[in-house]
Amino acid sequence: MKTIAVIGAGTMGNGIAHTFAQSGFTVKLIDVSEKSLDKGMATIAANLDRMLSKGTITQEDVAKTITNIITYTDLKDGVVGVDLVVEAATENVELKLNIFKQLNEYCSHNTILATNTSSISITQIGAVVAHPERVIGMHFMNPVPIMKLVEIIRGYNTSDEVTKIIMTLSEKLGKVPVEVNDYPGFVANRILMPMLNEAIETLYNKVAGVYEIDTVMKLGMGHPMGPLQLADFIGLDVCLAILNVMYDGFKNPKYAPCPLLVNMVRAGKLGVKSGEGFYDYSESKKAEKISKQFYKKEISCRFNRI
């Protein structure tokens, strides 16, 4: 494989494009607007500069990575002649199905079609294209350039050959691929999201406050982030979407999202991306200040010192 198309220049998309480009692949980064592409490229440049300042890459690496990325606003133009497409659009099933219907029309039948979905059925996505054996999940972790894991999800029709190709490709990116089967939430989110939801339930039921819940899990369980802090980092809207997929898929009440989570998303309190969730990010992107809604006493949560 030499040329990769990445659909979506948001947090995951620009991270995936960065990772492939840094590994020497030609990357076609596609989004619906120039503004989104400019923002995505600015993020890539900033992340490369941070890596340069830490001495993990050279100035030549920075220049080559940027040069390896070409931007497009037209999907058809962006996917012509590519060996692999990695879709990293918003976690919305109808949007993803529509994209894959277009990919079925624009791409050759030999092009492998991957999705970065964190919860939506690979089998369902594969059903809208010819040759569904070439459809597979590549669930990268955020931040993509740093996190080693890639969850490789086989749909019902995904072939052994395509799975092997993508597993090998992930290793070439310096990642650790783990093969899993196609069930709601896969492995990562099937285990993670109920934990985050239970932390929100614990807050909702007034068992303890934001600081207390996160501190217990950080100091008692050795987690690098507390669950409420992590939910803010992921995006509360994303957490809600994944829980809804799991609840719909399993019909099990243990996956039902907490009413507090639902209301916060409705109110636009989405975490870091909106400036407020369980923490207030108006002054810092770090979880140092509890949101006023949950603020019980004069506490400045310097989590990085714990």
Side-chain angles (χ1 to χ4, degrees):
M1 286 195 178
K2 296 181 179 180
T3 307
I4 315 296
V6 179
I7 301 173
T11 300
M12 297 305 296
N14 70 61
I16 294 167
H18 171 166
T19 301
F20 273 105
Q22 191 177 325
S23 297
F25 293 88
T26 298
V27 178
K28 296 183 172 185
L29 181 58
I30 308 164
D31 209 303
V32 292
S33 73
E34 289 287 356
K35 182 178 179 180
S36 297
L37 289 167
D38 290 345
K39 184 177 179 181
M41 291 301 297
T43 298
I44 293 170
N47 289 336
L48 287 168
D49 286 344
R50 190 176 298 111
M51 296 168 76
L52 178 64
S53 68
K54 293 180 179 179
T56 56
I57 59 172
T58 66
Q59 187 62 59
E60 184 180 5
D61 294 328
V62 173
K64 284 183 177 179
T65 300
I66 294 296
T67 302
N68 283 340
I69 304 174
I70 311 162
T71 60
Y72 293 82
T73 54
D74 185 89
L75 179 63
K76 185 176 182 179
D77 290 344
V79 300
V80 169
V82 303
D83 303 302
L84 167 69
V85 178
V86 182
E87 172 273 317
T90 304
E91 193 75 348
N92 177 286
V93 64
E94 294 305 323
L95 174 62
K96 290 183 184 292
L97 292 178
N98 183 54
I99 289 172
F100 273 80
K101 287 175 183 176
Q102 293 178 72
L103 293 177
N104 182 59
E105 180 180 349
Y106 300 148
C107 297
S108 97
H109 290 172
N110 294 321
T111 304
I112 295 176
L113 306 179
T115 173
N116 183 59
T117 181
S118 56
S119 62
I120 296 170
S121 169
I122 309 304
T123 304
Q124 182 180 8
I125 292 172
V128 301
V129 306
H131 305 288
E133 66 275 5
R134 62 190 170 131
V135 177
I136 194 166
M138 291 186 78
H139 180 206
F140 290 86
M141 304 294 131
N142 185 29
V144 179
I146 296 172
M147 299 293 279
K148 289 291 187 181
L149 176 67
V150 184
E151 207 175 18
I152 307 299
I153 307 105
R154 295 186 61 144
Y156 188 83
N157 293 304
T158 307
S159 71
D160 291 341
E161 180 185 6
V162 166
T163 302
K164 183 177 180 179
I165 289 170
I166 296 302
M167 293 284 283
T168 302
L169 176 65
S170 299
E171 291 172 348
K172 289 180 179 178
L173 298 176
K175 303 300 185 185
V176 178
V178 176
E179 181 182 335
V180 305
N181 289 318
D182 184 23
Y183 291 95
F186 315 133
V187 171
N189 283 316
R190 183 168 181 172
I191 295 170
L192 175 64
M193 286 301 155
M195 185 193 76
L196 301 188
N197 196 46
E198 193 62 31
I200 299 169
E201 285 278 4
T202 303
L203 178 65
Y204 179 60
N205 291 322
K206 298 182 172 58
V207 177
V210 171
Y211 171 80
E212 290 78 12
I213 292 167
D214 277 357
T215 300
V216 166
M217 296 305 290
K218 283 169 68 71
L219 298 187
M221 309 304 163
H223 291 195
M225 283 188 185
L228 301 177
Q229 180 186 0
L230 179 55
D232 273 356
F233 179 72
I234 294 169
L236 301 189
D237 54 336
V238 176
C239 293
L240 178 59
I242 295 170
L243 283 165
N244 279 332
V245 167
M246 293 169 66
Y247 182 58
D248 290 342
F250 290 116
K251 300 294 188 291
N252 189 323
K254 75 177 182 179
Y255 298 114
C258 177
L260 175 59
L261 174 62
V262 175
N263 277 343
M264 289 180 71
V265 172
R266 286 174 177 167
K269 308 297 185 183
L270 308 181
V272 177
K273 70 173 75 175
S274 69
E276 185 180 357
F278 296 105
Y279 295 87
D280 184 339
Y281 302 95
S282 58
E283 297 175 3
S284 172
K285 294 296 184 183
K286 298 179 181 179
E288 298 178 326
K289 183 179 178 183
I290 294 171
S291 175
K292 286 182 179 179
Q293 180 181 353
F294 308 110
Y295 198 76
K296 298 196 295 184
K297 54 186 176 180
E298 293 295 322
I299 290 179
S300 180
C301 303
R302 301 291 176 179
F303 276 94
N304 290 332
R305 297 180 184 174
I306 296 176

